[in-house]
Amino acid sequence: MTLRTRIIPCLDVKDGRVVKGVNFVNLADEGDPVELATRYAAEGADEICYLDISASPEGRGTLLDVVRRTASNVFVPLTVGGGVRTADDMRAVLRAGADKVAVNTAAVADPALLESCAIRFGRQCVVLAIDTKQRDGWFEVVVNGGRQPTGLDAIDWARRATKLGAGEILLTSMDADGTKTGFDLAVTKAITDAVDVPVIASGGAGTVDHCIDVVLRANASAVLAASIFHRREIEISTLKAAMASAGIPVRKVA
Amino acid sequence: MTTIAVIDHGAGNLVSIAQSLARVGADVIVATEPSDVVRADGLVLPGVGTTRGVMHGIDAAGFRTAIAQWDRPLLGICVGLQVFFDSSQEDDARCFGFVPGTVERLADAPRLPHIGWNDVSMDDDPLFAGIEPEATFYFVHSYAPRPAQKDTVIGTSTYGETFASAIRSGRRVGTQFHPERSGENGLQLLTNFVAMAA
């Protein structure tokens, strides 16, 4: 009787299509996020994450349609992030069928957004995405896809944001992201020690052992990865079996 | 075909619950006003956020009497279940009082909210028909029911403390977890609810 550690495949979605790093073997429609999400759910994903990287308003509208179609076909939880600026934006994504919404840049610009969203929708669906870069002896919050430094200390920001209303933290190390050399255990551990909400670890997953380490050594509640799943380098079922062998509780899928 | 009305009181994700009921064969109405539920065989009361927010949404949409007087099967999900009780500690909200008891913050939890898949120790109840004992369901909440009468509890889960995660009081049933987000096990539970309403 215990809470399971979650495995979360993340899809980058632009103008309603999956982009970047997907091995499209055996998909009827190669860029359709709904088809890929459906497959991941069948393979044992505990949750699906979409990160919208559309730049245009038309792309945002298309995203809501993708969320709607996903919620209609995939019966595991869906977290959606990217481009959410206001409480009304969040409402639109939730009404389209998302269970949780991640905010990042907009929350740094206006921390009160976390509070107003938590009051309106409940903190359980307010996810704070934090992108960090290691500096000399500290971790800085960066925004706008990692391009813009903020001067904010990631640990302070995590503490403050959870007091304001964030119910979960999606933590991405921009240093580790894309390297496949493992999660940044130091920043992950620092954040999980600092807050009492669940922390999703992201950035750097390359092997099964990386995922095990970030759970056992940095207390991550969930592991998020993109390319290792998209390129089929690691099957979700293989990862779950290895985590179970390492003593991590995972959800079995029939 | 069995008709299930899902109450839209303004908050949260109705797409998932409506679509999963449709998936298991129900004729689904998303009800935005009380007259929408009249021809339904069963009622689903979803809810996210806070008990006060959900009660406010129910009142604003004029559903309080329709829900209170509903005499066919009713399924409350998450905060939709919490409002079955007398009151919630979360914000001192007064709720329906269908089931004696309160709603309180989970004690001794390692982290809150309780987010993710967890076990449900299930009683022999028709709501759980055909579901394997080792099934897990998706939770996302910080508060949970504290029923005054143990015989209303049909499922329990453990996160820090052991808490009531499924409730039955006559034709009113409820789950603290989200069957509409719980994969095949959740769809089976919804199938069972639709069968109760048929």
Side-chain angles (χ1 to χ4, degrees), chain B residues 12-98:
Chain B
N13 168 2
L14 294 180
V15 178
S16 303
I17 183 65
Q19 290 295 330
S20 36
L21 286 162
R23 173 66 64 103
V24 302
D27 176 22
V28 181
I29 300 169
V30 174
T32 54
E33 52 187 80
S35 59
D36 294 340
V37 308
V38 173
R39 68 180 185 85
D41 303 301
L43 202 57
V44 172
L45 180 57
V48 296
T50 63
T51 41
R52 181 178 295 276
V54 168
M55 289 306 291
H56 178 77
I58 287 168
D59 281 339
F63 277 113
R64 183 183 281 253
T65 305
I67 294 167
Q69 295 181 351
W70 186 254
D71 60 359
R72 283 157 272 171
L74 169 67
L75 171 64
I77 297 173
C78 194
V79 182
L81 161 67
Q82 294 178 3
V83 297
F84 284 12
F85 291 85
D86 296 315
S87 64
S88 170
Q89 186 198 53
E90 184 170 12
D91 44 19
D92 294 321
R94 298 297 307 168
C95 300
F96 280 108
F98 297 150

Side-chain angles (χ1 to χ4, degrees), chain A residues 14-76:
Chain A
K14 186 178 186 189
D15 302 324
R17 309 289 288 173
V18 182
V19 294
K20 194 172 86 172
V22 178
N23 181 356
F24 289 120
V25 179
N26 298 326
L27 289 181
D29 175 358
E30 298 192 331
D32 182 16
V34 182
E35 190 174 348
L36 197 54
T38 304
R39 187 176 82 186
Y40 283 141
E43 291 173 355
D46 298 305
E47 187 172 321
I48 304 289
C49 181
Y50 287 158
L51 186 59
D52 182 42
I53 55 173
S54 304
S56 65
E58 295 78 15
R60 296 291 300 167
T62 311
L63 175 80
L64 293 181
D65 177 60
V66 168
V67 170
R68 214 169 279 120
R69 287 193 295 121
T70 306
S72 305
N73 289 283
V74 181
F75 300 108
V76 301

Side-chain angles (χ1 to χ4, degrees), chain B residues 4 9 15 22-23 38 42 50 66 74-75 81-82 95 108 112 114 128 131 133 138 143 146 160 184 186 189:
Chain B
I4 304 292
H9 47 73
V15 178
R23 173 66 64 103
V38 173
T50 63
L74 169 67
L75 171 64
L81 161 67
Q82 294 178 3
C95 300
D108 307 322
L112 286 177
H114 174 216
F128 296 127
I131 300 176
Y138 184 75
Y143 288 75
R146 292 275 174 81
E184 293 299 323
L189 187 147

Side-chain angles (χ1 to χ4, degrees), chain A residues 28 31 50 57 64 78 86 97 99 101 120 134 150 177 197 219 226 229:
Chain A
Y50 287 158
L64 293 181
L78 176 65
T86 65
D99 299 282
V101 178
R120 245 176 108 176
Q134 183 161 14
T150 65
D177 199 32
V197 302
N219 298 327
F229 299 133

